[in-house]
Amino acid sequence: WFVGCLVLSVQICSAAFQKCSTNPLDCPASQWKASIASFPDSWYLDAGFQAAFGVSSALSASEYLADYMPCCKHCAWSLGYPKAVPIVFSISPSQDTCASLTIAGSLNQCYLDCTVWPTDFSLLDKDGSSFLDESEFLNFVTNPQVALPQMYYLYSGGRSTYSSSKSKLDPHTVMYTSDLNKDGAISLSEWFIVRHFTAPILVTRSGPSNPTNNQALAAGPLGGFFMDRTLSNVWQTKVILMLMEYYVSHSSQGFKSLNLREPKSSEQTSVFQQADLDGSGRISLEEHYYRVFADQDGDGSLNVSEYYAGLYRKTCASNCASKACVCTQCKATRGVPTACSSVADSASTKKNFVLHDIDEDNKIAFVERKFIAADSDLDGILSWDEWTTADFAQDYSPWQGSMNCSGSANSTGACNAMTRAAYKQYLSYHYCSLQAMRLYSTFSSSYPLSSTCTIVLKVRHQPPFALVNTTSAAGMNELSAAGWSCYPPDDVDAVGRCYDGLGVRMVAAAAERLGWSVRPVLDAGPA
């Protein structure tokens, strides 16, 4: 494709068409420049494309990218609606003038032009290593002379100089989250994912809503580096306005505004929930990468080939250079750590895959990946700080209901360890709750069961999943103070008992969220 060609509304003239290489993010730059200047749903009309692939039938932009040019997926964005043929685009705000707005020594103002991202990367890569260490990467967020304006605005708290109490973005968490293979550096491919994920922030010149607990966003989950429902809605509206203005003014170049519209409320809910893989109400970069790029067949899980085709860790080399040497990252067999070495991992050895596959079903759900990503000290256990920073949805499983009390106490005196075994139990409850939310295309709390209807929950004493303690009134008071659910004798059970454990706490949390009334009773079945 070359710019000098006359672009018609029915067909784009073309030079030799370049197919995708084996690199999943290696989009031919010169070719994509021409794509930006053409209507997305006409991309398939390029004569070179049709000759290269033998395609003659119409293709939507989504089909074009997914089926024929997946290496360019990071160069385009989908609004996720209408469901049948989602709106896809690749232009930047002020598309015709953004390049001229770029100041020498700063990142390119054509935010969404993936062909300039390698140059931006080189600008940050001061030592020419082809990787960004933390000091280099942080300029993307913290350096007002280099950073894109909205990134610095969020970091500084909307001020000309940084304010810790007002900051909406923790740069160190941004770095850790962006480092998908956790090697302590950002590769060019990881940089592409960062740029694709930050598009809503840059286009809307906005960010997530402030929390209601008066906590600075930067000090909360994900360090403020996420998309919430408000930002998602603003992103959709802003993009439609941007596309409408550009498409109308460039109709002679084949751009068509007929199908542009704002989403319905139900579409906004559906789009957000499909992207919010863990149901936390926040979309992280990890979720974005997993759903848009890693899960190539879109079935909601990663198989072995998908894992090793992506950007996740594919080596058993030690991370000792940046962290204390903890040799548990790779395992020859489940539960058996190998020594620190530079041994490469692959689809045949599957060491990293096995590490992720917590429930041992030979596929990796996002929540399994999340455990590995959250484990910042690489000890195979999630601490309370790791749990909260990684944005685990406590609606599904309160920390106290999932922890392993062999851990050390945190600042509140509670146990401070989530083991893989406990997390495996968490996975089943999380899956069931998340499926219910998606089934109804709304949060489960929108469908409460009347509190006048008491659900009798039979509990069998099976520590640590379920604990039953038959005790006196004084004993009940002590256990209640320790967080147990205690019930005096009544018409449901003539004996006073207290209940605790992961399963009991999960049901109690769900009942509270949904407005249910649940009454546990002892099930004296076989052990």
Side-chain angles (χ1 to χ4, degrees):
W1 297 359
F2 47 95
V3 178
C5 286
L6 176 64
V7 181
L8 303 178
S9 60
V10 293
Q11 185 164 344
I12 307 167
C13 63
S14 170
F17 191 90
Q18 292 180 259
K19 294 183 178 181
C20 281
S21 70
T22 56
N23 186 331
L25 297 173
D26 188 19
C27 186
S30 60
Q31 187 165 286
W32 190 257
K33 276 290 189 183
S35 297
I36 296 175
S38 59
F39 183 53
D41 284 337
S42 294
W43 286 340
Y44 78 96
L45 290 172
D46 175 74
F49 167 77
Q50 294 188 350
F53 290 99
V55 174
S56 58
S57 57
L59 293 173
S60 68
S62 294
E63 293 170 326
Y64 173 90
L65 292 169
D67 298 338
Y68 297 96
M69 295 298 292
C71 63
C72 295
K73 288 176 70 175
H74 64 289
C75 297
W77 289 260
S78 171
L79 293 183
Y81 77 91
K83 189 173 183 179
V85 185
I87 296 169
V88 173
F89 68 99
S90 60
I91 64 168
S92 299
S94 304
Q95 175 65 37
D96 293 332
T97 60
C98 58
S100 64
L101 300 175
T102 302
I103 301 173
S106 64
L107 301 184
N108 198 291
Q109 295 294 301
C110 295
Y111 304 145
L112 309 190
D113 183 351
C114 69
T115 67
V116 304
W117 293 350
T119 302
D120 286 348
F121 183 87
S122 296
L123 180 67
L124 297 174
D125 183 18
K126 297 298 185 182
D127 62 6
S129 65
S130 299
F131 291 91
L132 303 180
D133 61 25
E134 187 169 50
S135 64
E136 293 172 324
F137 179 79
L138 292 189
N139 286 317
F140 172 57
V141 179
T142 65
N143 188 332
Q145 279 73 48
V146 177
L148 293 172
Q150 187 58 26
M151 297 302 291
Y152 182 77
Y153 179 89
L154 293 176
Y155 162 70
S156 67
R159 299 165 180 251
S160 57
T161 57
Y162 170 73
S163 170
S164 59
S165 62
K166 300 292 184 181
S167 178
K168 298 185 177 184
L169 200 60
D170 175 25
H172 301 286
T173 304
V174 174
M175 168 72 185
Y176 179 80
T177 304
S178 303
D179 182 14
L180 291 167
N181 65 0
K182 304 303 178 225
D183 64 354
I186 303 299
S187 66
L188 181 61
S189 293
E190 288 170 328
W191 172 246
F192 288 167
I193 302 304
V194 172
R195 295 302 302 269
H196 196 271
F197 177 69
T198 54
I201 293 173
L202 302 176
V203 169
T204 65
R205 296 182 178 272
S206 182
S209 301
N210 289 320
T212 57
N213 59 3
N214 296 320
Q215 182 186 48
L217 267 172
L222 302 169
F225 193 43
F226 61 85
M227 178 191 286
D228 62 2
R229 177 68 181 270
T230 299
L231 179 55
S232 176
N233 292 350
V234 173
W235 156 250
Q236 292 167 339
T237 298
K238 192 77 173 182
V239 166
I240 288 298
L241 293 175
M242 177 181 75
L243 296 183
M244 185 68 73
E245 179 181 2
Y246 187 84
Y247 284 15
V248 169
S249 62
H250 293 74
S251 59
S252 61
Q253 295 173 256
F255 286 89
K256 303 174 184 178
S257 61
L258 180 63
N259 294 326
L260 295 179
R261 64 170 177 82
E262 289 198 49
K264 302 174 184 176
S265 177
S266 59
E267 289 174 323
Q268 289 179 320
T269 298
S270 177
V271 168
F272 187 83
Q273 289 189 336
Q274 291 302 315
D276 181 16
L277 301 182
D278 60 10
S280 70
R282 288 172 281 261
I283 301 170
S284 66
L285 180 143
E286 278 275 0
E287 287 171 295
H288 183 72
Y289 173 70
Y290 182 102
R291 181 181 65 89
V292 178
F293 299 98
D295 183 14
Q296 296 174 0
D297 60 12
D299 67 350
S301 63
L302 303 185
N303 57 37
V304 174
S305 62
E306 287 174 325
Y307 178 90
Y308 287 98
L311 301 181
Y312 298 130
R313 186 171 171 83
K314 294 187 282 288
T315 176
C316 288
S318 167
N319 279 353
C320 300
S322 58
K323 297 181 180 296
C325 188
V326 180
C327 306
T328 57
Q329 303 98 309
C330 291
K331 300 180 179 181
T333 58
R334 290 185 175 89
V336 181
T338 62
C340 286
S341 68
S342 59
V343 177
D345 187 25
S346 66
S348 59
T349 54
K350 299 196 300 185
K351 292 180 179 179
N352 281 286
F353 183 87
V354 167
L355 182 65
H356 281 75
D357 185 16
I358 295 173
D359 63 5
E360 303 178 23
D361 64 352
N362 206 37
K363 57 186 178 181
I364 301 172
F366 173 73
V367 185
E368 291 176 294
R369 162 61 190 174
K370 188 173 180 178
F371 180 90
I372 304 302
D375 184 18
S376 59
D377 61 7
L378 304 175
D379 64 354
I381 296 173
L382 296 188
S383 68
W384 171 249
D385 289 337
E386 289 172 330
W387 177 272
T388 53
T389 299
D391 188 34
F392 279 93
Q394 295 188 48
D395 300 60
Y396 297 127
S397 181
W399 174 256
Q400 294 294 329
S402 302
M403 65 187 179
N404 182 319
C405 287
S406 64
S408 59
N410 61 19
S411 58
T412 65
C415 295
N416 191 26
M418 166 75 81
T419 64
R420 284 175 66 92
Y423 195 79
K424 184 176 181 179
Q425 294 178 331
Y426 169 85
L427 290 175
S428 62
Y429 285 100
H430 182 278
Y431 174 82
C432 294
S433 183
L434 194 61
Q435 291 304 307
M437 289 173 59
R438 291 177 175 168
L439 177 63
Y440 298 113
S441 296
T442 186
F443 294 108
S444 298
S445 56
S446 299
Y447 294 89
L449 186 68
S450 172
S451 60
T452 59
C453 303
T454 299
I455 299 174
V456 176
L457 174 69
K458 291 186 177 182
V459 180
R460 187 174 301 171
H461 184 71
Q462 290 186 338
F465 185 76
L467 309 175
V468 182
N469 193 318
T470 303
T471 184
S472 63
M476 284 188 180
N477 291 334
E478 293 179 2
L479 291 174
S480 292
W484 289 57
S485 298
C486 296
Y487 300 85
D490 56 17
D491 56 355
V492 176
D493 190 344
V495 179
R497 308 181 201 275
C498 294
Y499 303 84
D500 200 12
L502 173 65
V504 173
R505 288 180 180 258
M506 272 298 306
V507 174
E512 180 180 3
R513 186 175 79 247
L514 297 173
W516 294 354
S517 176
V518 175
R519 172 63 161 90
V521 296
L522 175 66
D523 179 7

